Amino acid sequence: MNRVPWWNTELGQEEIDAVSRAIRNRCISQGRLTEEFEARLAELLGVPHVVCAASGTASLMLAYLASGVGPGDEVIVPNRTFIATANAAVLLGAKVRLVDVTFPRPVIDVSCIEAAITPATKAVVPVHLNGMAADVDAVARIASAHGLTLIEDAAQGFMSRYKGRLCGTMSRFACFSLSMGKLLTTGQGGFVACHDKADALLLRRLRSHGVLQVKRDANYDILGGNFKFTDMLAAVGLAQLERLQSRMARQRDIHRAYGQGLRGLPCLKLLEVDLEAGELPIQAEALCSERDRMVAELQERGVETVCQVPDLNRSPHLGNPQTFKVSPRYGDSILILPCGPDQPLENVRVAIEAVRSLAPSYRPLELAGA
């Protein structure tokens, strides 16, 4: 049986050749290829500065550190996001305060933010989840009124748009991921986008133990770590950038195919991303009335799916045991159908046919009351 993978992204001969050239030219650790990659990303996003880091989590930690987040501080985070958004703050000694999300878009519920603010609050982090843009303008007004740093988590929002503007370009700091499950990948990696030259310099120092040149700078006067990128990763990223537009088109085609192919099924509903407004999904997320059963039965038919990550309030180390009204509707019901920027559309059609063949035996999805 030919199996349909839940995610498909390709690194081919172009990436192999790029890494080989980097090694032959002794571009191995962080150097000129990283600088070139940063410049290309900054130009693409239309921001003055991009600073690459070892991962999306490292990028978040750099942004938190540059914002002064530390022990005793609090950071406001939506309950629906990958746990890195919260863990990066907790690793710095801060506490996260979780707030609910909206329905049918799992982005931060702006109406819940002010109630979560305390004298210890230092930053608020709207997350552009799966290309669905958070209401950054509304969050920015609240952040400004309370003297909070606005940090966009755009790990899943690369090249997605909000009111015509690219996600990750509307705040003091915005964090992106370059892991395998992203539109643009270097295997692992991430970057921070910012507008202020002083902020960019601070990020570069924090990335390298508080200095710009570890063998040349004489004074280590601020706390930092080793969050550096590498030129070998940058070589992969530069090669991937050449296929960015075609990958974006494939992501849109996949979302449209699922939207058409799954329409009208009582047991399952695709989370709608506003393609016309410029939003760009990276995953094919659907609510299912009997998710775990669907995952198992699709697996038996050779179609691989995965469950979406759990709500953050289920993680005891975050210290947020309260219940939420809307978030559980996602955490208990979302599955990710076969997708990815190099997923063949034929695989998507196979997945659609498998879901439609199973759907009649499933109970209807209850959407009311969210």
Side-chain angles (χ1 to χ4, degrees):
M1 177 190 297
N2 291 327
R3 304 196 68 82
V4 176
W6 83 268
W7 180 262
N8 194 4
T9 190
E10 300 289 342
L11 276 74
Q13 194 61 47
E14 295 88 349
E15 287 83 0
I16 293 170
D17 292 343
V19 173
S20 295
R21 285 194 300 272
I23 295 173
R24 286 197 301 270
N25 294 328
R26 300 183 66 82
C27 296
I28 297 171
S29 188
Q30 184 176 281
R32 64 177 179 84
L33 289 184
T34 298
E35 292 176 359
E36 181 183 350
F37 187 46
E38 289 173 336
R40 289 280 302 276
L41 289 170
E43 180 182 14
L44 184 65
L45 292 173
V47 296
H49 308 284
V50 159
V51 178
C52 284
S55 66
T57 306
S59 300
L60 285 160
M61 292 183 74
L62 286 175
Y64 291 155
L65 280 167
S67 302
V69 172
D73 294 324
E74 294 180 352
V75 176
I76 295 175
V77 171
N79 198 38
R80 287 298 307 164
T81 180
F82 183 54
I83 199 167
T85 316
N87 278 349
V90 174
L91 285 168
L92 297 176
K95 176 181 174 59
V96 294
R97 291 183 65 84
L98 301 177
V99 298
D100 213 346
V101 295
T102 62
F103 190 89
R105 292 167 58 86
V107 295
I108 193 167
D109 187 338
V110 177
S111 69
C112 297
I113 293 175
E114 289 197 288
I117 296 173
T118 75
T121 306
K122 185 64 69 79
V124 57
V125 189
V127 180
H128 305 298
L129 202 60
N130 194 29
M132 287 176 273
D135 190 351
V136 178
D137 287 346
V139 179
R141 287 191 291 270
I142 295 172
S144 177
H146 293 271
L148 307 178
T149 300
L150 175 62
I151 301 171
E152 290 173 82
D153 183 337
Q156 294 187 2
F158 181 56
M159 300 309 293
S160 193
R161 291 185 179 272
Y162 165 79
K163 297 181 179 179
R165 296 165 287 171
L166 285 170
C167 293
T169 65
M170 299 167 283
S171 53
R172 181 181 175 188
F173 299 112
C175 303
F176 296 81
S177 172
L178 295 166
S179 65
M180 285 299 292
K182 301 299 185 293
L183 175 69
L184 181 74
T185 184
T186 56
Q188 282 294 340
F191 60 94
V192 185
C194 66
H195 300 266
D196 186 81
K197 183 177 180 180
D199 279 341
L201 179 62
L202 177 58
L203 289 168
R204 295 185 193 284
R205 292 182 65 194
L206 292 168
R207 177 176 64 179
S208 186
H209 290 290
V211 298
L212 296 178
Q213 296 288 340
V214 295
K215 298 297 186 184
R216 298 175 186 173
D217 289 358
N219 296 312
Y220 287 75
D221 56 355
I222 64 171
L223 178 66
N226 183 356
F227 301 105
K228 290 186 286 188
F229 203 59
T230 75
D231 277 8
M232 291 185 291
L233 295 178
V236 173
L238 288 165
Q240 291 250 306
L241 281 174
E242 300 305 314
R243 301 200 302 278
L244 181 61
Q245 294 302 318
S246 63
R247 286 174 152 228
M248 292 171 62
R250 175 57 56 87
Q251 296 290 78
R252 295 188 190 101
D253 289 344
I254 289 172
H255 191 78
R256 290 190 182 102
Y258 280 122
Q260 295 170 2
L262 301 177
R263 185 177 295 125
L265 295 182
C267 70
L268 186 139
K269 176 177 173 56
L270 187 71
L271 290 187
E272 289 295 334
V273 178
D274 194 347
L275 299 180
E276 299 304 316
E279 290 185 339
L280 183 68
I282 62 168
Q283 297 175 345
E285 296 180 323
L287 293 170
C288 183
S289 61
E290 300 173 71
R291 180 189 62 187
D292 294 347
R293 175 187 164 196
M294 179 68 76
V295 170
E297 293 188 352
L298 287 174
Q299 181 75 17
E300 291 175 358
R301 294 176 178 232
V303 176
E304 190 177 87
T305 61
V306 292
C307 297
Q308 188 51 283
V309 295
D311 293 346
L312 295 191
N313 65 311
R314 297 182 178 180
S315 298
H317 67 280
L318 299 182
N320 282 252
Q322 71 267 37
T323 59
F324 292 88
K325 177 183 177 182
V326 178
S327 301
R329 298 185 64 81
Y330 300 106
D332 295 337
S333 303
I334 292 186
L335 76 158
I336 304 174
L337 296 162
C339 52
D342 296 304
Q343 186 78 254
L345 291 177
E346 177 56 32
N347 283 354
V348 174
R349 287 189 283 270
V350 169
I352 290 169
E353 291 172 4
V355 171
R356 294 196 70 88
S357 69
L358 292 169
S361 68
Y362 281 66
R363 67 173 183 267
L365 181 67
E366 297 179 5
L367 295 176

